[in-house]
Amino acid sequence: MSNSRILNFVDGQFVEGAPGAFFENRNPCDNSVISLVSEADKATVDRAVDAARRALNGPWGKMAVAERAEILHKVADGITRRFEEFLEAECLDTGKPKSLARHIDIPRGAANFKIFADLVKNVATEAFQMPTPDGTGALNYSVRKPKGVIGVICPWNLPLLLMTWKVGPAMACGNAVIVKPSEETPTTATLLGEVMNEAGVPPGVYNVVHGFGPGSAGEFITTHKGVNAITFTGETRTGAAIIKASADQIRPVSLELGGKNPAIVFADCDLDKAIEGTTRSAFANCGQVCLGTERVYVERPIFDRFVARLKAAAEGLKVGVPADAASNMGPLISKEHQGKVLGYYQTAKDLGATVVTGGGRPAMDGALADGAWVEPTIWTGLGDDSAIMREEIFGPCCHVSPFDSEDEVIARANDTDYGLCASIWTESTSRAHRVAAQMETGLVWINSWFLRDLRTPFGGAKRSGIGREGGVHSLEFYTELSNICVKL
Ligand code: NAD
């Protein structure tokens, strides 16, 4: 068993939560214990909220925007300076290939601080002149104020990236944060505490409390009267619990939730691009991406060719440990999640799906045999109403169905409770725009996937979330806009 201990970060210091209460953080590659994590009790969360409030009433609240922005640049530089440490920690917690985290998770984690620091300095607010009966007129202008203490509750699939995507804009807008990383991936959020201290972030601005959801740190944050807003990324069911917990205080929530995202592949697509993009969207990060494709609709004339080529691409993926430079697929996050995904693999068989490839666990040697590995999997032959087509699986798998007309595929793609994103593959410009505008999703990609400009709105429709973040939309959530009317 590892002796490494992960503590909570409160008021600029690493502290133990509930005395003696530690939970295990396990390596998904072999199920060994990486570290013991101190679980925050209610008193620890209270201390974090008090420290956040003191920071808001003290140095952080009084700091000029330009100075705050400079500190956030130092935070980003601090992550970059300790890049290899962050990379090692993220890959140990998640099992994901270092090649992936080196290009996405860690650099984007740093970029989230710079982008929002720069944005806050440059976004204007509105002003209106109005006539008055006495002829002197009045002037209205608005100012942005921080919302206060923001609870940031995070998932495990892109731990540093998705956490900083919230913490970057929240801090840039002058708020203080209480972060609860997923119990599966506690390490990089904790390491970031050291970087915050090195960068000169005042104590209490960035706090990290560890634990679980109900009856633990997650619930202590969402029910805390001193928390002014909650931003959450995770499962739709958890999002519903967070709305309920926030209802009594009429507290704003921003929810980025699950998806069951379609890809629509027209016969006039560039097939090479469509295969490359769909291979990534279905299998990257072992399929554990909220934006991942689990439903693929392919126009009938190219259906057989598409399935054969996607099969070849899936079979070309190399499953392996993070340090293996040739590996492009790690394990799932945990044995528990492996059980859930393998349950869906069994359901697909029971429902009579054709298993084009995969459908089980890969054979792994030695200690790795106890890891959370699953095979990349492709099915065909199921109806749109099957559980495989309606429920978010969150594994490296997709179902491919043929379609015959544009209207038919638009209706089928939209026939879901979720509305996060869609990908459209076609070389016809007018078709691309026509179909994109009809997707009931927060995001649509045409001939691409996961191409993100952080200035653009991000979020889901239907049961995939409430609100948009990104660019000025993040400012809308993380600030309170106050109109000041001056009678002249
Ligand atoms: P999850 O909902 O199980 O957990 C997310 C976080 O919420 C964890 O920190 C957990 O401890 C906490 N939590 C759980 N119950 C809680 C409660 N009652 N009160 C307060 N906190 C609680 O999600 P997960 O399994 O970590 O992540 C996978 C899910 O996240 C998938 O559904 C995926 O689609 C979704 N996701 C969405 C986006 C997006 O941007 N829309 C991005 C990434 C992941």
Side-chain angles (χ1 to χ4, degrees):
M1 178 177 286
S2 165
N3 286 324
S4 157
R5 292 187 164 213
I6 295 195
L7 299 181
N8 302 279
F9 184 70
V10 174
D11 205 9
Q13 300 195 329
F14 291 94
V15 298
E16 205 170 306
F22 284 84
F23 61 90
E24 290 176 341
N25 173 27
R26 286 179 179 267
N27 181 344
C29 289
D30 59 10
N31 206 30
S32 62
V33 176
I34 305 168
S35 56
L36 296 177
V37 187
S38 169
E39 185 175 357
D41 54 5
K42 174 102 181 50
T44 312
V45 175
D46 286 346
R47 279 203 299 280
V49 175
D50 289 347
R53 188 65 58 197
R54 276 197 304 279
L56 289 167
N57 292 336
W60 191 243
K62 296 187 173 66
M63 196 177 284
V65 174
E67 194 183 341
R68 218 159 61 207
E70 205 174 306
I71 290 183
L72 293 184
H73 271 263
K74 285 187 188 153
V75 172
D77 293 341
I79 295 174
T80 307
R81 204 168 35 250
R82 298 178 66 173
F83 195 97
E84 293 301 323
E85 266 177 274
F86 276 95
L87 183 69
E88 191 66 37
E90 200 75 317
C91 292
L92 202 54
D93 275 1
T94 58
K96 68 176 73 187
K98 281 192 174 171
S99 54
L100 180 73
R102 187 179 290 286
H103 287 107
I104 305 229
D105 301 61
I106 313 303
R108 282 273 297 275
N112 282 333
F113 286 99
K114 289 195 173 172
I115 295 248
F116 289 104
D118 294 343
L119 187 82
V120 162
K121 284 194 294 187
N122 293 309
V123 173
T125 52
E126 64 216 276
F128 292 99
Q129 280 185 307
M130 66 185 283
T132 54
D134 64 4
T136 60
L139 176 67
N140 290 276
Y141 65 93
S142 49
V143 291
R144 288 187 186 282
K145 300 172 187 164
K147 275 226 164 83
V149 180
I150 311 281
V152 183
I153 301 183
C154 309
W156 43 256
N157 57 334
L158 298 153
L160 182 72
L161 188 160
L162 290 174
M163 184 261 289
T164 54
W165 162 246
K166 311 287 199 169
V167 169
M171 284 176 58
C173 291
N175 300 283
V177 297
I178 317 290
V179 173
K180 197 200 83 63
S182 166
E183 53 274 36
E184 306 284 0
T185 53
T187 314
T188 47
T190 312
L191 194 53
L192 188 60
E194 292 180 18
V195 171
M196 293 283 176
N197 282 349
E198 289 158 8
V201 173
V205 174
Y206 174 80
N207 304 277
V208 180
V209 293
H210 293 295
F212 306 85
S216 183
E219 188 181 313
F220 300 150
I221 293 174
T222 60
T223 53
H224 203 293
K225 290 199 163 44
V227 172
N228 302 104
I230 306 275
T231 180
F232 169 75
T233 308
E235 277 191 28
T236 295
R237 211 181 31 229
T238 314
I242 287 175
I243 296 176
K244 284 181 194 145
S246 299
D248 283 346
Q249 292 186 63
I250 320 288
R251 197 172 26 205
V253 290
S254 174
L255 303 177
E256 293 178 358
L257 309 176
K260 188 71 185 175
N261 310 302
I264 302 178
V265 185
F266 287 98
D268 64 5
C269 74
D270 177 326
L271 194 56
D272 290 343
K273 282 191 217 158
I275 291 292
E276 189 276 332
T278 310
T279 306
R280 279 191 300 118
S281 70
F283 306 120
N285 209 38
C286 202
Q288 303 164 116
V289 182
C290 54
L291 305 165
T293 302
E294 292 192 356
R295 296 181 293 142
V296 187
Y297 297 95
V298 181
E299 204 166 0
R300 201 174 299 273
I302 62 163
F303 180 78
D304 290 342
R305 233 171 349 130
F306 182 93
V307 171
R309 289 202 45 190
L310 193 65
K311 170 179 172 9
E315 289 172 356
L317 293 170
K318 177 159 188 309
V319 171
V321 296
D324 177 354
S327 150
N328 38 26
M329 199 169 125
L332 293 170
I333 189 66
S334 63
K335 299 282 278 183
E336 189 190 344
H337 191 49
Q338 182 195 38
K340 175 184 160 187
V341 172
L342 289 174
Y344 277 106
Y345 284 12
Q346 187 57 46
T347 301
K349 283 183 194 150
D350 295 346
L351 291 171
T354 301
V355 182
V356 175
T357 188
R361 275 195 281 201
M364 302 301 284
D365 292 333
L368 298 183
D370 202 21
W373 309 92
V374 293
E375 289 176 327
T377 294
I378 302 170
W379 304 286
T380 57
L382 292 179
D384 290 353
D385 281 335
S386 67
I388 297 295
M389 295 289 271
R390 303 209 77 85
E391 296 169 18
E392 182 187 50
I393 301 172
F394 222 54
C397 53
C398 63
H399 180 277
V400 193
S401 325
F403 72 89
D404 294 299
S405 79
E406 191 178 299
D407 286 347
E408 172 206 334
V409 78
I410 290 168
R412 289 172 69 191
N414 284 335
D415 180 18
T416 168
D417 291 339
Y418 293 100
L420 190 52
C421 73
S423 298
I424 299 167
W425 300 91
T426 173
E427 290 298 301
S428 157
T429 310
S430 35
R431 189 206 298 275
H433 291 291
R434 189 169 62 230
V435 176
Q438 294 177 77
M439 289 292 103
E440 296 170 357
T441 56
L443 304 143
V444 181
W445 277 287
I446 295 169
N447 295 331
S448 63
W449 177 76
F450 211 150
L451 188 55
R452 282 280 301 135
D453 181 327
L454 300 183
R455 295 167 300 183
T456 61
F458 182 95
K462 300 186 197 169
R463 297 188 75 214
S464 291
I466 295 181
R468 294 290 180 273
E469 296 194 35
V472 292
H473 309 279
S474 293
L475 269 48
E476 294 302 321
F477 182 72
Y478 294 108
T479 60
E480 203 68 72
L481 205 52
S482 188
N483 186 67
I484 297 174
C485 177
V486 189
K487 173 78 171 60
L488 299 173

Short mmCIF file of all heavy atoms in Angstrom, two decimals, residues 52-95:
data_model
loop_
_atom_site.label_atom_id
_atom_site.label_comp_id
_atom_site.label_asym_id
_atom_site.label_seq_id
_atom_site.Cartn_x
_atom_site.Cartn_y
_atom_site.Cartn_z
N ALA A 52 -12.61 31.66 2.18
CA ALA A 52 -12.95 32.27 0.89
C ALA A 52 -13.58 33.64 1.11
O ALA A 52 -13.26 34.62 0.43
CB ALA A 52 -13.90 31.35 0.12
N ARG A 53 -14.47 33.72 2.08
CA ARG A 53 -15.15 34.99 2.37
C ARG A 53 -14.15 36.03 2.85
O ARG A 53 -14.19 37.19 2.44
CB ARG A 53 -16.23 34.73 3.44
CG ARG A 53 -17.16 35.89 3.74
CD ARG A 53 -18.05 36.28 2.57
NE ARG A 53 -18.88 35.18 2.10
CZ ARG A 53 -19.49 35.14 0.92
NH1 ARG A 53 -19.37 36.15 0.06
NH2 ARG A 53 -20.21 34.09 0.56
N ARG A 54 -13.20 35.61 3.70
CA ARG A 54 -12.19 36.56 4.18
C ARG A 54 -11.35 37.09 3.02
O ARG A 54 -11.03 38.28 2.96
CB ARG A 54 -11.25 35.88 5.20
CG ARG A 54 -11.80 35.87 6.62
CD ARG A 54 -10.70 35.58 7.63
NE ARG A 54 -9.98 34.33 7.36
CZ ARG A 54 -10.41 33.12 7.70
NH1 ARG A 54 -11.54 32.98 8.35
NH2 ARG A 54 -9.71 32.04 7.40
N ALA A 55 -11.02 36.20 2.07
CA ALA A 55 -10.22 36.63 0.92
C ALA A 55 -11.00 37.64 0.08
O ALA A 55 -10.44 38.62 -0.41
CB ALA A 55 -9.83 35.42 0.07
N LEU A 56 -12.32 37.40 -0.05
CA LEU A 56 -13.14 38.33 -0.84
C LEU A 56 -13.25 39.69 -0.16
O LEU A 56 -13.26 40.73 -0.83
CB LEU A 56 -14.55 37.74 -1.04
CG LEU A 56 -14.64 36.54 -1.97
CD1 LEU A 56 -16.01 35.87 -1.83
CD2 LEU A 56 -14.42 36.95 -3.41
N ASN A 57 -13.32 39.66 1.17
CA ASN A 57 -13.42 40.93 1.90
C ASN A 57 -12.05 41.59 2.08
O ASN A 57 -11.96 42.73 2.50
CB ASN A 57 -14.04 40.70 3.29
CG ASN A 57 -15.50 40.29 3.17
OD1 ASN A 57 -16.15 40.60 2.17
ND2 ASN A 57 -16.01 39.57 4.14
N GLY A 58 -11.00 40.83 1.76
CA GLY A 58 -9.65 41.33 1.98
C GLY A 58 -8.92 41.58 0.68
O GLY A 58 -9.47 42.21 -0.23
N PRO A 59 -7.70 41.04 0.58
CA PRO A 59 -6.81 41.42 -0.53
C PRO A 59 -7.37 41.08 -1.92
O PRO A 59 -7.24 41.86 -2.85
CB PRO A 59 -5.54 40.60 -0.26
CG PRO A 59 -5.96 39.50 0.67
CD PRO A 59 -7.09 40.06 1.47
N TRP A 60 -8.01 39.96 -2.04
CA TRP A 60 -8.49 39.52 -3.36
C TRP A 60 -9.60 40.44 -3.86
O TRP A 60 -9.62 40.86 -5.02
CB TRP A 60 -8.98 38.07 -3.27
CG TRP A 60 -9.26 37.40 -4.58
CD1 TRP A 60 -10.48 36.93 -4.98
CD2 TRP A 60 -8.34 37.09 -5.62
NE1 TRP A 60 -10.36 36.33 -6.21
CE2 TRP A 60 -9.05 36.42 -6.63
CE3 TRP A 60 -6.97 37.30 -5.80
CZ2 TRP A 60 -8.46 35.96 -7.81
CZ3 TRP A 60 -6.37 36.84 -6.97
CH2 TRP A 60 -7.11 36.19 -7.96
N GLY A 61 -10.52 40.77 -2.96
CA GLY A 61 -11.65 41.62 -3.32
C GLY A 61 -11.21 43.03 -3.69
O GLY A 61 -11.86 43.71 -4.49
N LYS A 62 -10.07 43.46 -3.11
CA LYS A 62 -9.64 44.84 -3.35
C LYS A 62 -8.65 44.94 -4.51
O LYS A 62 -8.28 46.04 -4.93
CB LYS A 62 -8.97 45.38 -2.08
CG LYS A 62 -9.92 45.48 -0.91
CD LYS A 62 -9.29 46.16 0.30
CE LYS A 62 -10.33 46.40 1.39
NZ LYS A 62 -10.87 45.18 1.98
N MET A 63 -8.23 43.81 -5.02
CA MET A 63 -7.16 43.82 -6.03
C MET A 63 -7.64 44.35 -7.39
O MET A 63 -8.77 44.06 -7.81
CB MET A 63 -6.65 42.38 -6.21
CG MET A 63 -5.33 42.28 -6.91
SD MET A 63 -4.79 40.55 -6.98
CE MET A 63 -4.22 40.27 -5.31
N ALA A 64 -6.82 45.12 -8.06
CA ALA A 64 -7.16 45.62 -9.39
C ALA A 64 -7.20 44.46 -10.38
O ALA A 64 -6.45 43.48 -10.24
CB ALA A 64 -6.13 46.65 -9.84
N VAL A 65 -8.06 44.59 -11.39
CA VAL A 65 -8.22 43.51 -12.37
C VAL A 65 -6.87 43.15 -13.01
O VAL A 65 -6.54 41.97 -13.19
CB VAL A 65 -9.22 43.93 -13.47
CG1 VAL A 65 -9.30 42.89 -14.58
CG2 VAL A 65 -10.59 44.14 -12.87
N ALA A 66 -6.09 44.17 -13.34
CA ALA A 66 -4.82 43.91 -14.03
C ALA A 66 -3.88 43.08 -13.15
O ALA A 66 -3.19 42.18 -13.63
CB ALA A 66 -4.16 45.23 -14.42
N GLU A 67 -3.89 43.36 -11.86
CA GLU A 67 -3.01 42.61 -10.95
C GLU A 67 -3.48 41.16 -10.81
O GLU A 67 -2.70 40.22 -10.81
CB GLU A 67 -2.98 43.31 -9.59
CG GLU A 67 -1.85 42.82 -8.70
CD GLU A 67 -1.88 43.47 -7.31
OE1 GLU A 67 -2.52 44.54 -7.15
OE2 GLU A 67 -1.28 42.90 -6.40
N ARG A 68 -4.81 41.03 -10.72
CA ARG A 68 -5.39 39.67 -10.64
C ARG A 68 -5.01 38.88 -11.88
O ARG A 68 -4.61 37.71 -11.81
CB ARG A 68 -6.91 39.82 -10.57
CG ARG A 68 -7.58 38.84 -9.67
CD ARG A 68 -8.94 39.34 -9.26
NE ARG A 68 -9.84 39.55 -10.40
CZ ARG A 68 -10.83 40.43 -10.41
NH1 ARG A 68 -11.04 41.20 -9.35
NH2 ARG A 68 -11.60 40.56 -11.46
N ALA A 69 -5.12 39.53 -13.03
CA ALA A 69 -4.81 38.86 -14.30
C ALA A 69 -3.34 38.44 -14.34
O ALA A 69 -3.00 37.35 -14.82
CB ALA A 69 -5.14 39.78 -15.47
N GLU A 70 -2.49 39.30 -13.79
CA GLU A 70 -1.06 38.97 -13.78
C GLU A 70 -0.79 37.73 -12.91
O GLU A 70 -0.03 36.84 -13.28
CB GLU A 70 -0.31 40.18 -13.19
CG GLU A 70 1.13 40.28 -13.64
CD GLU A 70 1.73 41.58 -13.11
OE1 GLU A 70 1.15 42.66 -13.37
OE2 GLU A 70 2.74 41.50 -12.42
N ILE A 71 -1.47 37.66 -11.78
CA ILE A 71 -1.31 36.49 -10.90
C ILE A 71 -1.79 35.22 -11.61
O ILE A 71 -1.17 34.17 -11.54
CB ILE A 71 -2.06 36.70 -9.56
CG1 ILE A 71 -1.33 37.78 -8.74
CG2 ILE A 71 -2.16 35.41 -8.78
CD1 ILE A 71 -1.94 38.04 -7.38
N LEU A 72 -2.90 35.34 -12.36
CA LEU A 72 -3.42 34.15 -13.06
C LEU A 72 -2.45 33.69 -14.16
O LEU A 72 -2.32 32.49 -14.42
CB LEU A 72 -4.81 34.42 -13.63
CG LEU A 72 -5.89 34.62 -12.56
CD1 LEU A 72 -7.25 34.78 -13.19
CD2 LEU A 72 -5.92 33.47 -11.56
N HIS A 73 -1.77 34.63 -14.78
CA HIS A 73 -0.73 34.25 -15.74
C HIS A 73 0.38 33.48 -15.02
O HIS A 73 0.92 32.51 -15.56
CB HIS A 73 -0.16 35.50 -16.44
CG HIS A 73 -0.92 35.84 -17.68
ND1 HIS A 73 -0.51 35.47 -18.94
CD2 HIS A 73 -2.09 36.50 -17.86
CE1 HIS A 73 -1.39 35.90 -19.84
NE2 HIS A 73 -2.37 36.52 -19.20
N LYS A 74 0.70 33.91 -13.80
CA LYS A 74 1.74 33.20 -13.04
C LYS A 74 1.28 31.78 -12.68
O LYS A 74 2.07 30.85 -12.63
CB LYS A 74 2.09 33.97 -11.76
CG LYS A 74 2.93 35.20 -12.02
CD LYS A 74 3.39 35.82 -10.71
CE LYS A 74 4.05 37.14 -10.99
NZ LYS A 74 3.96 38.07 -9.86
N VAL A 75 -0.03 31.63 -12.41
CA VAL A 75 -0.56 30.29 -12.14
C VAL A 75 -0.36 29.40 -13.37
O VAL A 75 0.12 28.26 -13.28
CB VAL A 75 -2.06 30.34 -11.74
CG1 VAL A 75 -2.66 28.95 -11.66
CG2 VAL A 75 -2.25 31.09 -10.42
N ALA A 76 -0.72 29.95 -14.55
CA ALA A 76 -0.56 29.18 -15.79
C ALA A 76 0.92 28.82 -16.00
O ALA A 76 1.26 27.67 -16.33
CB ALA A 76 -1.08 29.99 -16.97
N ASP A 77 1.79 29.79 -15.77
CA ASP A 77 3.23 29.53 -15.94
C ASP A 77 3.71 28.49 -14.93
O ASP A 77 4.60 27.68 -15.22
CB ASP A 77 4.04 30.83 -15.79
CG ASP A 77 3.74 31.81 -16.93
OD1 ASP A 77 3.22 31.36 -17.98
OD2 ASP A 77 4.01 33.01 -16.77
N GLY A 78 3.12 28.53 -13.73
CA GLY A 78 3.50 27.57 -12.69
C GLY A 78 3.14 26.14 -13.10
O GLY A 78 3.89 25.19 -12.87
N ILE A 79 1.96 25.99 -13.74
CA ILE A 79 1.57 24.65 -14.22
C ILE A 79 2.56 24.21 -15.30
O ILE A 79 3.03 23.07 -15.31
CB ILE A 79 0.13 24.67 -14.79
CG1 ILE A 79 -0.88 24.99 -13.69
CG2 ILE A 79 -0.22 23.35 -15.46
CD1 ILE A 79 -2.32 25.18 -14.17
N THR A 80 2.89 25.14 -16.19
CA THR A 80 3.79 24.78 -17.29
C THR A 80 5.18 24.42 -16.74
O THR A 80 5.81 23.47 -17.22
CB THR A 80 3.88 25.96 -18.29
OG1 THR A 80 2.55 26.31 -18.65
CG2 THR A 80 4.67 25.60 -19.52
N ARG A 81 5.64 25.17 -15.74
CA ARG A 81 6.97 24.88 -15.17
C ARG A 81 6.98 23.49 -14.53
O ARG A 81 7.96 22.77 -14.58
CB ARG A 81 7.29 25.94 -14.11
CG ARG A 81 8.76 26.12 -13.87
CD ARG A 81 9.12 27.35 -13.04
NE ARG A 81 8.16 27.69 -12.01
CZ ARG A 81 7.37 28.77 -12.04
NH1 ARG A 81 7.43 29.61 -13.04
NH2 ARG A 81 6.51 29.00 -11.07
N ARG A 82 5.85 23.09 -13.94
CA ARG A 82 5.79 21.78 -13.27
C ARG A 82 5.00 20.77 -14.12
O ARG A 82 4.38 19.85 -13.59
CB ARG A 82 5.16 21.97 -11.88
CG ARG A 82 6.03 22.90 -11.03
CD ARG A 82 5.42 23.17 -9.68
NE ARG A 82 5.34 21.98 -8.84
CZ ARG A 82 4.96 22.00 -7.55
NH1 ARG A 82 4.66 23.15 -6.98
NH2 ARG A 82 4.90 20.90 -6.84
N PHE A 83 5.07 20.99 -15.42
CA PHE A 83 4.31 20.20 -16.40
C PHE A 83 4.43 18.69 -16.14
O PHE A 83 3.43 17.97 -16.10
CB PHE A 83 4.82 20.53 -17.82
CG PHE A 83 3.94 20.08 -18.92
CD1 PHE A 83 3.03 20.95 -19.52
CD2 PHE A 83 3.98 18.77 -19.39
CE1 PHE A 83 2.20 20.54 -20.55
CE2 PHE A 83 3.15 18.33 -20.41
CZ PHE A 83 2.27 19.23 -20.99
N GLU A 84 5.67 18.21 -15.99
CA GLU A 84 5.88 16.75 -15.88
C GLU A 84 5.24 16.19 -14.61
O GLU A 84 4.73 15.08 -14.61
CB GLU A 84 7.37 16.40 -15.92
CG GLU A 84 8.04 16.70 -17.27
CD GLU A 84 7.41 15.94 -18.46
OE1 GLU A 84 7.01 14.77 -18.30
OE2 GLU A 84 7.29 16.55 -19.55
N GLU A 85 5.24 16.99 -13.53
CA GLU A 85 4.60 16.55 -12.29
C GLU A 85 3.08 16.42 -12.48
O GLU A 85 2.45 15.46 -12.03
CB GLU A 85 4.82 17.59 -11.19
CG GLU A 85 6.00 17.36 -10.29
CD GLU A 85 6.12 18.52 -9.31
OE1 GLU A 85 6.74 19.53 -9.68
OE2 GLU A 85 5.56 18.43 -8.21
N PHE A 86 2.51 17.45 -13.12
CA PHE A 86 1.06 17.40 -13.39
C PHE A 86 0.72 16.22 -14.30
O PHE A 86 -0.27 15.51 -14.09
CB PHE A 86 0.58 18.71 -14.01
CG PHE A 86 0.27 19.78 -12.99
CD1 PHE A 86 1.22 20.72 -12.64
CD2 PHE A 86 -0.97 19.82 -12.35
CE1 PHE A 86 0.95 21.69 -11.68
CE2 PHE A 86 -1.25 20.79 -11.39
CZ PHE A 86 -0.29 21.73 -11.05
N LEU A 87 1.56 16.03 -15.31
CA LEU A 87 1.32 14.94 -16.27
C LEU A 87 1.35 13.58 -15.56
O LEU A 87 0.46 12.75 -15.74
CB LEU A 87 2.40 15.01 -17.36
CG LEU A 87 2.29 14.00 -18.49
CD1 LEU A 87 1.07 14.31 -19.34
CD2 LEU A 87 3.56 14.03 -19.36
N GLU A 88 2.38 13.39 -14.75
CA GLU A 88 2.54 12.12 -14.03
C GLU A 88 1.32 11.88 -13.13
O GLU A 88 0.75 10.79 -13.12
CB GLU A 88 3.83 12.23 -13.19
CG GLU A 88 4.31 10.93 -12.58
CD GLU A 88 4.76 9.93 -13.62
OE1 GLU A 88 5.36 10.34 -14.63
OE2 GLU A 88 4.49 8.72 -13.42
N ALA A 89 0.93 12.92 -12.39
CA ALA A 89 -0.18 12.79 -11.44
C ALA A 89 -1.49 12.49 -12.17
O ALA A 89 -2.26 11.60 -11.77
CB ALA A 89 -0.32 14.06 -10.62
N GLU A 90 -1.74 13.21 -13.27
CA GLU A 90 -3.01 13.03 -13.98
C GLU A 90 -3.09 11.62 -14.58
O GLU A 90 -4.15 10.98 -14.55
CB GLU A 90 -3.12 14.09 -15.09
CG GLU A 90 -4.54 14.34 -15.58
CD GLU A 90 -5.37 15.14 -14.60
OE1 GLU A 90 -5.30 14.86 -13.39
OE2 GLU A 90 -6.10 16.05 -15.04
N CYS A 91 -1.96 11.17 -15.11
CA CYS A 91 -1.98 9.85 -15.77
C CYS A 91 -2.04 8.72 -14.75
O CYS A 91 -2.63 7.67 -15.02
CB CYS A 91 -0.75 9.71 -16.68
SG CYS A 91 -0.86 10.85 -18.08
N LEU A 92 -1.45 8.94 -13.57
CA LEU A 92 -1.53 7.91 -12.53
C LEU A 92 -2.98 7.78 -12.03
O LEU A 92 -3.49 6.68 -11.87
CB LEU A 92 -0.60 8.31 -11.37
CG LEU A 92 -0.11 7.22 -10.43
CD1 LEU A 92 0.56 6.08 -11.19
CD2 LEU A 92 0.87 7.81 -9.41
N ASP A 93 -3.65 8.91 -11.84
CA ASP A 93 -5.04 8.87 -11.36
C ASP A 93 -5.99 8.29 -12.40
O ASP A 93 -6.94 7.59 -12.05
CB ASP A 93 -5.53 10.30 -11.03
CG ASP A 93 -5.14 10.75 -9.62
OD1 ASP A 93 -4.47 9.98 -8.91
OD2 ASP A 93 -5.50 11.88 -9.25
N THR A 94 -5.79 8.64 -13.68
CA THR A 94 -6.78 8.27 -14.70
C THR A 94 -6.37 7.07 -15.55
O THR A 94 -7.21 6.46 -16.20
CB THR A 94 -7.00 9.43 -15.69
OG1 THR A 94 -5.73 9.75 -16.29
CG2 THR A 94 -7.57 10.67 -15.02
N GLY A 95 -5.06 6.79 -15.64
CA GLY A 95 -4.57 5.72 -16.51
C GLY A 95 -4.48 6.12 -17.96
O GLY A 95 -4.15 5.32 -18.84
#
